[in-house]
Amino acid sequence: MLLSLGMLMLSATQIYTIFTVQLFAFLNLLPVEADIIAYSFDNKTGNFDDLPARFGYRLPSDGLKGFLIGARPENACMPIEPPPRADNASGAFIVLIKRFDCNFDIKVLNAQKAGYKAAIVHNVDSDDLISMGSNDLDVMKQIDIPSVFISEETANSLKEDYSYDKGGHVVLMPDFSLPLEYYLIPFLIIVGICLILIVVFMITKFVQDRHRARRSRLRKDQLKKLPIHKYKKGDVYDVCAICLDEYEDGDKLRVLPCSHGEPLGHVLNSSEL
């Protein structure tokens, strides 16, 4: 029975995993292959990885299309130049910002104040991706544009082939990923329920066995009615029929209706009579 409950717990875990994946796929929430899709003037396409910031707004589900412009000054630690006025308003402007010299949230806030719809911060002398965070609650509350972090190599490729002055544009795609606790908490709930069921089953079975043993055990008045015999060598019954131990001279035995002798210390059930 315990094996069956273990299989049930495993099956519940598998069902939970399959259901979660299918739900995310149905809602189009699974991670995309590329976080930034870039298009050049001559229809060249590039896919690049990024890491979204832990502050600001999330990207729309269908992505954010915009023209990429380098920040001036590059680090955006002070107010930066606003984007140019485009003849067609079909796309937003996204600013490319250099890392270091000030906090990430300050950079993104300056980009927002300048009129950019999103900010891309790139690494310097490294291709590592960093999850941008903010420790200033007041600044974080003011930020309402999305921002992402990219490597230096990606930044160089974007500036060389896909920037606004080169006739290109980029699309920032949402990178959906739930925190670990979103997966872990439901899983722990399922495991906890299965463990509780196992404990309840074991306790119930123990209680049932005890009740069954008490129902089949002889009462004291029934035990007193059984004759008692003092064993001596040569008696017909010289071995305990239950534990198969040999009797010794002087052992006190209960004589059962089946003509077997049992030591006084044995607990007799009605099924043994």
Side-chain angles (χ1 to χ4, degrees), residues 10-29:
L10 179 61
S11 300
T13 304
Q14 293 173 340
I15 292 173
Y16 163 75
T17 303
I18 295 173
F19 173 77
T20 302
V21 172
Q22 293 296 328
L23 177 62
F24 290 168
F26 176 75
L27 297 176
N28 293 322
L29 298 179

Side-chain angles (χ1 to χ4, degrees), residues 24-222:
F24 290 168
F26 176 75
L27 297 176
N28 293 322
L29 298 179
L30 290 178
V32 294
E33 294 181 357
D35 300 320
I36 298 179
I37 305 176
Y39 302 90
S40 67
F41 177 75
D42 56 356
N43 294 324
K44 178 182 176 182
T45 304
N47 296 335
F48 305 97
D49 293 330
D50 68 15
L51 199 59
R54 298 196 303 271
F55 55 82
Y57 283 16
R58 293 187 61 88
L59 290 164
S61 58
D62 55 348
L64 175 63
K65 177 182 176 180
F67 301 107
L68 186 65
I69 295 180
R72 295 182 182 180
E74 293 183 343
N75 59 13
C77 291
M78 59 185 67
I80 62 177
E81 295 182 8
R85 291 187 176 182
D87 295 336
N88 54 15
S90 59
F93 282 95
I94 301 172
V95 65
L96 182 64
I97 302 173
K98 184 179 180 181
R99 185 191 174 189
F100 293 129
D101 303 323
C102 61
N103 295 335
F104 294 120
D105 51 1
I106 296 296
K107 297 176 184 289
V108 177
L109 183 58
N110 285 332
Q112 175 181 307
K113 290 180 177 179
Y116 292 95
K117 299 302 181 182
I120 301 177
V121 182
H122 71 84
N123 212 336
V124 177
D125 298 328
S126 174
D127 290 330
D128 294 337
L129 297 183
I130 297 174
S131 180
M132 298 185 296
S134 173
N135 295 323
D136 192 328
L137 187 59
D138 293 333
V139 174
M140 188 169 57
K141 287 181 177 179
Q142 301 179 55
I143 300 175
D144 55 15
I145 65 171
S147 58
V148 298
F149 190 89
I150 61 174
S151 66
E152 184 178 49
E153 181 181 2
T154 298
N156 292 334
S157 297
L158 292 176
K159 288 186 288 186
E160 182 177 351
D161 297 319
Y162 306 103
S163 62
Y164 173 66
D165 57 357
K166 299 292 180 63
H169 67 275
V170 299
V171 179
L172 304 184
M173 299 298 297
D175 178 22
F176 179 84
S177 58
L178 286 176
L180 179 61
E181 57 266 22
Y182 280 76
Y183 298 98
L184 188 59
I185 291 176
F187 174 77
L188 292 178
I189 291 175
I190 292 176
V191 173
I193 292 175
C194 293
L195 291 177
I196 292 174
L197 290 176
I198 292 176
V199 172
V200 171
F201 166 77
M202 295 179 64
I203 294 175
T204 303
K205 190 174 185 307
F206 174 77
V207 172
Q208 289 177 345
D209 291 343
R210 290 292 300 270
H211 287 170
R212 190 179 300 111
R214 289 179 180 177
R215 286 197 302 267
S216 60
R217 186 178 300 174
L218 293 179
R219 301 190 307 272
K220 289 184 178 180
D221 59 334
Q222 293 175 320

